[in-house]
Amino acid sequence: MKKKKKNSRPAVRTARAEVAPGRPQKIRPRPPVPVAGVGASAGGLVAFTQLLRGLPPDPGMALVFVQHLSPTYESALPELLSKETLLPVSQVTNGTLIAINHVYVVPPNAELTVVDGILRVGARPHDKTQYNPIDAFFRSLATWAEGRAFGVLLSGTSSDGVAGLREIRAAGGTVLVQEPESTEFSAMPRAAIAAGVADLVQPPEQIAASLVRLVAHPLVAERAHPLAASEAPFSELQMRRIFTLLRWATAVDFSRYKEPTIRRRLQRRMLLQKVADADQYIKLLEEKPAEVQSLYHDLLIQVTRFFREPESYVALTSKVFPRLTGDRPPDGAVRIWIPGCATGEEAYSVAIALLEFLGDQANAVPIQIFATDVSDRAIERARAGVYPETISEDVSPQRLRRFFTKTDGSFQISKAVRDLCVFARQDLTRDPPFSRLDLIVCRNVLIYLDPALHKKLMSVFHYALKPNGFLMLGRAESTGPYGEYFQTFEKKQRIFLRKASVARTDLEFQPLDPAAMKAPPGRPLHQRPREVNGFQSEATRVLVSRFAPPGVIVDNDLRIVQTRGQTAAFLELSPGEPNLNLFKMLREGLLFGVRAALNEARKTGQAVRKEGNKLQSNGERRSVDIEVIPLATASADERHYLVLFEPSLSGSSAAKPVDRPSARAAGSRAREENRGRQLEDARVLELRQELAASREYLQSIIQDLEATNEELQSANEEILSSNEELQSTNEELDTAKEELQSTNEEINTVNEELQSRNEEMSRANGDLVNLLAGVQIAIVFLTGDLRIRRFTPVAEKALNLIASDVGRPIGNIRPNIDCPDLETLIRDAVDNVVVKEREVQDREGNWMLLRIRPYKSLDNRIDGAVLVLLDIDALRKQEQRSQQAQDLAGAILDSVERPMMVLDSEMRVVAANRLLTQMLRLDHPDVVGKPLTEIVNADWDVEQIKARIAKIRPGERPLDLFDVPREIAGSGHRKVLLRARKFEGGSRRAPLALLSIEEPALA
């Protein structure tokens, strides 16, 4: 059946950006459409064909296929792919506008990028080691399409595409990688999976289905742009809930990171988890801890490269490093900190640049580079120092040869560079910084943090640097409004110099305790603890509200901390700024009684009651009883008092208005006047009593004030004298505290690094122990002073060693071999850096080969010697048997009364008897080992003899060859008869030929 032609469906025209000739035209940026960038190398055509077959006629996206093509041949990819899909397929030309439901193919010998939705075709780099077309396209796609970019990596043999996929993922896009088991060549997919950038790992058919599902997701399909912060489906309450879940699980607080970035990462996770509702995703986080960890690692954006922004490293080398090393004392170390180091490329780049700057002086200058990141995974990769081959795009061939080692298709950082860098996990937002630093390189970290955290980090960096220390930021970062900490040193490269005249900033570092933030066991994260015995609390509340007198609780400073009951009749806010001091809020008439009761309660510590206090309120006077009760507290310095207000049982003392009917007699009027005078006298008496009590109270206060004043004066003198000392001591303690925090952080970092290296050394030591135990050779390692460091089990018998001999001088050992000058041989080998060999015998007469070579450390220093004893007894006996056999064969040849010789396959004389040498008039030693052509007459046809001998099979009877001329002394020119026979016994199992010469008797 014929496939349907492309013109059977509506054609999709390939648009181009047209520019009017002679006048530049600014192209307006187009909203990004969903684009799937597909990268492949060897075997990628088959995988891409399978992917196309799994797509519907309208997948809702554009596909751009980037493959490693031959630069010298035209590509037939468009024609091949057109037969496998109904989608229009075309080879990209410069200026092609991306259209949905279209397949684009990269042209050969070119580098493809996308800018504002327009495909740009550039020239291929001349250096083939730096040609990574998939990375180049993926990076440009991430910059333009962001969350609507889909990176797909199929079969291939290199590591091209991994760096580009990392940037797509960081921009909010999705990464799909072919399952290695379904590929023809799995190197590229395995490199992406190992780098941790793969979101989905599937066969090509499933990748096609996943792409269609992801493009149709509401978060992608409904908007032309990625979700803005205001459009994101997460409310503030939901965001706080997500931050809480992350803090509980990882001990990292993301609430002070920029929310737009976090919302984009949340959108990515929702796409991958097939969730469109924010509440559903939060529920997924609560039910699946693995998704919380996946979100955590997704939020830690790690996009970095070797020598990113090369101009900045030129500025470091030309302007910063000379100032760091110019006036440095001989033992002063160059201390550098790289926070947010990700997978280590930036730290190693700074180390390489510094080593290149120092040149031959690198070994004389101590270097300490601290590299930290909040991600454990990134730190582990940085410590390993293994990177894909694609770093050749950023690292020059000279640097690759000098600072890297090629291993299994990857590049590993050299040990000299690795030893300069200390990697450790650190949360910049809460962990103490390092101190006494010369340089901080913090690039593209601040762009993810909010302004408050930005300001805090500026003060942290200012504290961590030495005077005149340097701070380098990313191109998109600056010190912003915090210029009081730094001054600009190199504006274009964002290098700043620490200001020394800034007042010291108080830094507080309070590490979060992960254990304290864990959810209670057996309780969902969203569930709150239920109130216990609620009915009892309710009953208590009802009783207090009905029967308890109103009152307030005040602290030692008379500040109201709690009110109980209706206190409006006794307290009111004073005009002006709100003030909760009890004396400021008491109504008229209560101040004297409350103050007296409080003073007495303070002195005695007992409850005090004052009755008959006159409250003036709303034109009436009422009698109020006041009771002050001290409350028991855990601390004697934080005493509290309960002040209660109760109406007096005698009722109101205010004069009530009296009715005077006009019909009453004049006598009743006189009685009323008499009653009025009595009331006035009672009022005067009451006022006199209040005045006397006030005088008494004031007198006691004056006495207390005088005593207190004397105490205060003496105490004030002591305080003034010690105040300065305390201030200076406090500053010293604050400074020491900060230094201790920084030193502690540095110690923790170094300790973590040492633990990692200790594990590596333990593994290496285990490998060495197993290797030595498995090698059946006597080996002894000696230190520089010729003490035994280590030996193999076989060496115990050969050299008469036991386990306790480790650390003993080799001269104190009596070995089982006959070598009296062993120590002298060892010293000679070490002093002259030569290998010494000697054949020795043990006490049983067995022969052994003693080999002594200098021990070289990793930095090529002589640090002892290595003794190796090889058993050559069998070889020696074989040589003896061979010599005996040779002597026997020579004796047999000499006993034969006929000239004879033994020839090898190259017609060289192996042996000859004396009759032959006499006939040829040669000495016996001159014959053995020489070609036949040199010892016989030129009339002998040696090639013909060789050809005839080659036809003889070993073991056959002797064969007469032919007569050859030979000049015989005294008898003129005569012929001799040659007879040959082959037999086994030559080297490499090549047969030998026995050649005998018969000469006729003289006439």
Side-chain angles (χ1 to χ4, degrees):
M1 180 182 292
K2 283 189 174 182
K3 287 189 176 288
K4 190 182 291 185
K5 296 183 179 179
K6 286 194 300 181
N7 56 12
S8 62
R9 54 171 286 135
V12 179
R13 297 183 59 190
T14 303
R16 293 193 182 183
E18 298 181 359
V19 180
R23 187 173 69 181
Q25 179 178 353
K26 184 177 181 181
I27 301 174
R28 180 177 298 175
R30 300 174 62 247
V33 300
V35 177
V38 185
S41 180
L45 178 59
V46 175
F48 189 54
T49 301
Q50 295 172 351
L51 188 151
L52 289 177
R53 291 173 183 169
L55 292 176
D58 54 346
M61 75 188 100
L63 290 95
V64 182
F65 186 41
V66 181
Q67 188 179 24
H68 292 179
L69 301 175
S70 172
T72 57
Y73 297 98
E74 290 295 329
S75 173
L77 274 178
E79 292 78 8
L80 295 174
L81 297 177
S82 297
K83 298 176 182 179
E84 304 295 338
T85 180
L86 296 177
L87 296 172
V89 182
S90 62
Q91 183 171 286
V92 176
T93 57
N94 193 30
T96 299
L97 195 64
I98 291 182
I100 293 182
N101 299 332
H102 201 109
V103 180
Y104 301 95
V105 180
V106 63
N109 198 28
E111 188 171 81
L112 183 65
T113 56
V114 57
V115 179
D116 294 334
I118 300 173
L119 294 172
R120 303 292 187 185
V121 179
R124 173 176 177 167
H126 297 293
D127 188 353
K128 293 183 180 180
T129 61
Q130 298 183 4
Y131 180 55
N132 298 310
I134 302 175
D135 274 334
F137 179 74
F138 281 173
R139 282 173 176 147
S140 64
L141 180 62
T143 302
W144 173 63
E146 295 183 347
R148 294 166 70 85
F150 300 92
V152 182
L153 197 64
L154 304 178
S155 173
T157 57
S158 68
S159 58
D160 188 13
V162 175
L165 290 178
R166 185 179 286 110
E167 297 199 15
I168 287 178
R169 200 167 186 263
T174 309
V175 174
L176 302 93
V177 177
Q178 184 178 0
E179 193 176 55
E181 289 74 15
S182 65
T183 62
E184 294 185 36
F185 301 92
S186 62
M188 283 173 59
R190 290 187 187 278
I193 295 171
V197 298
D199 293 316
L200 297 174
V201 180
Q202 299 172 330
E205 299 85 354
Q206 295 183 19
I207 289 178
S210 297
L211 284 174
V212 174
R213 174 181 60 80
L214 292 171
V215 170
H217 196 282
L219 295 177
V220 175
E222 293 179 0
R223 295 174 175 84
H225 287 283
L227 290 178
S230 60
E231 300 172 325
F234 292 93
S235 66
E236 292 298 326
L237 182 61
Q238 291 169 334
M239 290 295 292
R240 287 197 296 270
R241 181 60 185 157
I242 292 173
F243 292 148
T244 301
L245 293 171
L246 287 168
R247 188 165 58 249
W248 274 337
T250 65
V252 177
D253 185 7
F254 287 95
S255 61
R256 300 177 71 178
Y257 286 59
K258 288 187 177 178
E259 279 200 12
T261 302
I262 295 179
R263 292 177 186 271
R264 285 197 296 268
R265 314 312 293 177
L266 289 171
Q267 175 187 344
R268 240 182 57 81
R269 296 307 308 173
M270 291 175 65
L271 284 173
L272 294 174
Q273 295 298 327
K274 307 176 186 179
V275 175
D277 181 70
D279 288 331
Q280 292 180 3
Y281 185 68
I282 293 176
K283 184 178 180 182
L284 179 67
L285 290 174
E286 293 175 345
E287 295 175 350
K288 294 185 177 180
E291 177 59 23
V292 180
Q293 293 295 328
S294 299
L295 175 61
Y296 166 68
H297 291 295
D298 223 24
L299 291 173
L300 301 178
I301 302 171
Q302 297 165 355
V303 180
T304 183
R305 300 167 63 181
F306 276 98
F307 297 98
R308 179 174 49 178
E309 301 170 4
E311 300 84 2
S312 61
Y313 289 92
V314 174
L316 282 177
T317 304
S318 60
K319 298 183 178 181
V320 176
F321 290 161
R323 296 188 60 167
L324 295 184
T325 58
D327 299 328
R328 181 169 302 277
D331 57 344
V334 177
R335 293 167 57 85
I336 302 174
W337 180 25
I338 294 93
C341 68
T343 49
E345 288 91 332
E346 189 117 57
Y348 289 133
S349 299
V350 173
I352 290 172
L354 183 56
L355 289 175
E356 290 178 337
F357 168 77
L358 294 173
D360 296 337
Q361 302 297 321
N363 293 329
V365 179
I367 301 174
Q368 295 176 347
I369 299 179
F370 304 100
T372 61
D373 197 272
V374 74
S375 172
D376 290 311
R377 292 183 181 179
I379 289 299
E380 290 300 323
R381 292 193 58 204
R383 284 177 178 153
V386 179
Y387 300 97
E389 290 180 327
T390 52
I391 65 170
S392 59
E393 184 177 350
D394 305 311
V395 184
S396 65
Q398 295 80 9
R399 284 172 171 163
L400 286 176
R401 286 193 298 268
R402 180 180 175 185
F403 300 107
F404 292 85
T405 303
K406 189 73 173 292
T407 56
D408 298 331
S410 303
F411 286 104
Q412 184 171 23
I413 201 75
S414 66
K415 188 176 184 297
V417 180
R418 173 66 185 86
D419 289 344
L420 300 180
C421 303
V422 177
F423 293 95
R425 185 186 183 277
Q426 182 192 46
D427 188 350
L428 266 180
T429 63
R430 61 182 177 87
D431 291 335
F434 301 96
S435 61
R436 303 184 304 279
L437 298 170
D438 298 289
L439 171 65
I440 297 177
V441 180
C442 181
R443 302 206 290 174
N444 297 337
V445 174
L446 302 179
I447 58 176
Y448 301 112
L449 308 178
D450 66 8
L453 203 54
H454 189 175
K455 180 178 181 180
K456 176 183 178 181
L457 291 184
M458 286 296 106
S459 63
V460 167
F461 293 157
H462 180 271
Y463 159 75
L465 286 170
K466 293 179 180 178
N468 299 322
F470 291 90
L471 170 66
M472 171 179 275
L473 302 177
R475 289 284 180 86
E477 299 169 328
S478 68
T479 57
Y482 317 115
E484 70 271 16
Y485 295 113
F486 298 95
Q487 65 184 27
T488 303
F489 179 76
E490 174 63 37
K491 182 177 181 181
K492 186 176 181 181
Q493 304 305 330
R494 296 293 190 271
I495 301 176
F496 303 91
L497 188 64
R498 180 186 186 272
K499 287 184 178 179
S501 59
V502 173
R504 186 182 61 81
T505 305
D506 292 329
L507 302 177
E508 290 294 336
F509 305 104
Q510 299 178 353
L512 297 175
D513 183 8
M517 297 183 297
K518 299 294 183 183
R523 182 187 303 163
L525 297 178
H526 59 278
Q527 182 178 352
R528 293 184 178 179
R530 292 183 299 176
E531 186 178 357
V532 181
N533 297 333
F535 66 91
Q536 297 180 6
S537 300
E538 180 64 16
T540 303
R541 186 189 66 79
V542 171
L543 290 174
V544 169
S545 63
R546 287 195 178 186
F547 302 107
V552 295
I553 298 176
V554 297
D555 58 16
N556 208 32
D557 297 326
L558 303 183
R559 179 180 177 84
I560 297 175
V561 297
Q562 189 179 19
T563 62
R564 291 178 174 269
Q566 299 296 327
T567 60
F570 312 100
L571 303 174
E572 65 176 347
L573 283 174
S574 59
E577 185 177 352
N579 193 336
L580 294 180
N581 185 277
L582 177 63
F583 291 164
K584 299 290 185 181
M585 296 184 65
L586 287 172
R587 289 187 180 273
E588 183 179 354
L590 298 179
L591 178 60
F592 165 72
V594 171
R595 176 179 288 172
L598 276 171
N599 286 335
E600 188 174 349
R602 281 181 173 179
K603 292 180 180 180
T604 63
Q606 302 294 327
V608 178
R609 186 177 181 86
K610 296 290 183 179
E611 298 180 350
N613 299 277
K614 305 303 180 180
L615 171 63
Q616 184 73 27
S617 177
N618 297 326
E620 296 182 355
R621 291 176 59 83
R622 292 183 295 171
S623 182
V624 177
D625 296 339
I626 299 171
E627 187 172 1
V628 177
I629 304 174
L631 300 178
T633 57
S635 174
D637 297 331
E638 297 181 1
R639 301 179 65 182
H640 290 76
Y641 303 89
L642 176 60
V643 182
L644 300 177
F645 304 98
E646 301 180 46
S648 295
L649 297 177
S650 60
S652 174
S653 62
K656 295 183 179 180
V658 180
D659 295 334
R660 297 181 176 84
S662 58
R664 288 187 178 183
S668 62
R669 184 175 300 174
R671 288 195 299 269
E672 289 179 1
E673 290 178 357
N674 186 32
R675 185 184 304 170
R677 284 193 297 271
Q678 291 178 356
L679 291 175
E680 289 179 359
D681 293 340
R683 178 59 179 165
V684 171
L685 179 61
E686 180 182 346
L687 291 176
R688 288 178 177 176
Q689 291 175 351
E690 289 183 4
L691 181 60
S694 297
R695 288 176 178 174
E696 181 182 355
Y697 171 69
L698 289 176
Q699 183 63 29
S700 64
I701 289 180
I702 291 172
Q703 293 175 356
D704 292 342
L705 286 176
E706 289 176 353
T708 304
N709 189 39
E710 293 178 359
E711 294 177 0
L712 288 176
Q713 286 180 352
S714 61
N716 187 46
E717 295 176 358
E718 297 178 2
I719 291 173
L720 290 176
S721 62
S722 61
N723 186 40
E724 295 182 359
E725 297 179 4
L726 289 176
Q727 287 180 348
S728 60
T729 303
N730 187 45
E731 292 181 0
E732 294 176 1
L733 288 175
D734 287 341
T735 304
K737 174 188 173 184
E738 295 169 3
E739 292 180 355
L740 285 174
Q741 287 174 330
S742 299
T743 304
N744 185 54
E745 180 67 19
E746 185 173 336
I747 291 173
N748 290 336
T749 301
V750 175
N751 183 53
E752 185 177 347
E753 181 74 12
L754 290 176
Q755 287 179 350
S756 175
R757 296 193 182 184
N758 188 46
E759 292 176 1
E760 295 178 5
M761 293 187 66
S762 297
R763 289 193 295 268
N765 188 56
D767 295 341
L768 179 60
V769 170
N770 284 277
L771 174 64
L772 295 179
V775 173
Q776 297 300 316
I777 300 175
I779 304 175
V780 179
F781 296 94
L782 303 178
T783 61
D785 55 353
L786 302 189
R787 294 179 180 271
I788 297 175
R789 176 185 294 163
R790 188 193 297 267
F791 54 85
T792 61
V794 181
E796 295 181 6
K797 180 180 179 182
L799 293 175
N800 195 22
L801 298 174
I802 57 177
S804 60
D805 287 335
V806 174
R808 292 181 60 190
I810 189 65
N812 295 350
I813 303 298
R814 297 184 61 186
N816 289 333
I817 59 174
D818 184 15
C819 186
D821 57 343
L822 176 61
E823 187 173 1
T824 303
L825 285 175
I826 297 173
R827 293 191 182 278
D828 188 27
V830 172
D831 295 341
N832 298 318
V833 195
V834 294
V835 178
K836 294 287 186 177
E837 290 187 354
R838 177 182 293 184
E839 293 183 359
V840 297
Q841 282 184 296
D842 61 10
R843 295 177 181 177
E844 299 176 358
N846 298 319
W847 285 95
M848 310 183 79
L849 176 63
L850 173 63
R851 180 178 296 154
I852 305 172
R853 66 171 57 248
Y855 180 97
K856 292 184 179 180
S857 61
L858 291 178
D859 52 358
N860 206 27
R861 291 189 302 106
I862 304 300
D863 189 22
V866 181
L867 275 64
V868 180
L869 280 172
L870 301 175
D871 187 1
I872 61 171
D873 188 66
L875 180 62
R876 190 67 178 270
K877 292 178 179 179
Q878 180 65 28
E879 290 180 353
Q880 291 177 354
R881 288 194 295 267
S882 176
Q883 184 63 39
Q884 292 174 358
Q886 187 176 355
D887 294 342
L888 178 60
I892 294 173
L893 285 177
D894 288 339
S895 64
V896 177
E897 297 181 353
R898 183 182 298 175
M900 301 183 73
M901 70 178 74
V902 179
L903 302 175
D904 60 12
S905 58
E906 300 298 328
M907 302 305 291
R908 291 181 176 273
V909 178
V910 178
N913 61 3
R914 296 190 179 278
L915 290 178
L916 178 68
T917 55
Q918 291 176 1
M919 183 186 76
L920 298 178
R921 299 177 182 177
L922 296 172
D923 293 334
H924 187 268
D926 296 337
V927 175
V928 177
K930 289 188 176 181
L932 185 61
T933 54
E934 294 184 9
I935 63 174
V936 300
N937 193 312
D939 296 335
W940 287 37
D941 191 348
V942 177
E943 291 298 326
Q944 186 178 5
I945 296 174
K946 182 178 180 181
R948 296 288 297 274
I949 292 175
K951 295 179 180 179
I952 304 175
R953 295 182 179 179
E956 291 183 348
R957 68 179 189 75
L959 178 66
D960 294 339
L961 298 180
F962 44 78
D963 297 337
V964 294
R966 179 66 179 167
E967 188 70 28
I968 303 299
S971 60
H973 188 77
R974 300 182 61 183
K975 288 186 177 182
V976 294
L977 177 63
L978 301 181
R979 177 170 291 181
R981 180 174 182 171
K982 277 189 178 178
F983 60 93
E984 298 289 347
S987 60
R988 299 180 183 177
R989 307 302 297 173
L992 301 177
L994 178 62
L995 191 66
S996 62
I997 302 175
E998 297 182 4
E999 52 183 341
L1002 296 175

